[in-house]
Structure formats: structure tokens, C-alpha cells
Amino acid sequence: KWISLSSLCLAVALNAILVGLSRVEMKLPLLALSAAAGLFLLLIPAFRLFKTRQRSQASILFTRASYYPLALFIITAVITMI
């Protein structure tokens, strides 16, 4: 029941910990952008799926979650280049 929502919350939290441990100079923008990506791409769709239990919401979550690694890569690359 709670497994998808709790595991995605854990993934976003672990990402924040990894950003905190990284050697990137601009940690705050990286943390803010990666948290926003996690919220938009993972947590909001997961909460909607948890609330409604509809297949369409599961499909939306799967689609958005597929973009999460790419979004993190782009955010990290841009912040690192700045």
C-alpha cells in the first residue's frame, strides 16, 4: 500500500544526501533543482497514484519516473559546468 510512495520518498532523500556529500561547489542550487525534479517527476505522481489507485496514474508515474535519471544528469552537468 505504501511501498511505492515510501520508496520514492526514500530515493529523493538519498539523492539529497548524495548531493550533500558531493564535492560540487554549488551544492544549494544542485540540491534545490534535484529536489524540484524529485517532487515533480516522482513524488507528486506517486501521491496521486496512492490517493486514486487508477491505472492511468500508474502510467503517469512510470512515464515521469523514467525521466528522473535524465533530469538529474542534466541538472548535475549544467551545475558542474557553471
Side-chain angles (χ1 to χ4, degrees), residues 8-78:
L8 292 174
C9 286
L10 182 64
V12 173
L14 287 175
N15 184 42
I17 292 170
L18 286 175
V19 168
L21 294 174
S22 70
R23 295 182 182 179
V24 176
E25 293 177 13
M26 299 174 61
K27 285 185 185 180
L28 188 59
L30 179 60
L31 183 62
L33 290 172
S34 63
L39 180 69
F40 178 71
L41 296 173
L42 296 178
L43 298 181
I44 292 174
F47 182 71
R48 287 182 183 154
L49 174 63
F50 176 75
K51 202 164 87 171
T52 64
R53 302 260 187 223
Q54 295 177 350
R55 286 185 186 212
S56 62
Q57 293 299 322
S59 178
I60 291 169
L61 173 60
F62 180 78
T63 302
R64 286 193 181 175
S66 298
Y67 289 114
Y68 183 65
L70 178 63
L72 289 182
F73 175 74
I74 291 171
I75 290 167
T76 305
V78 169

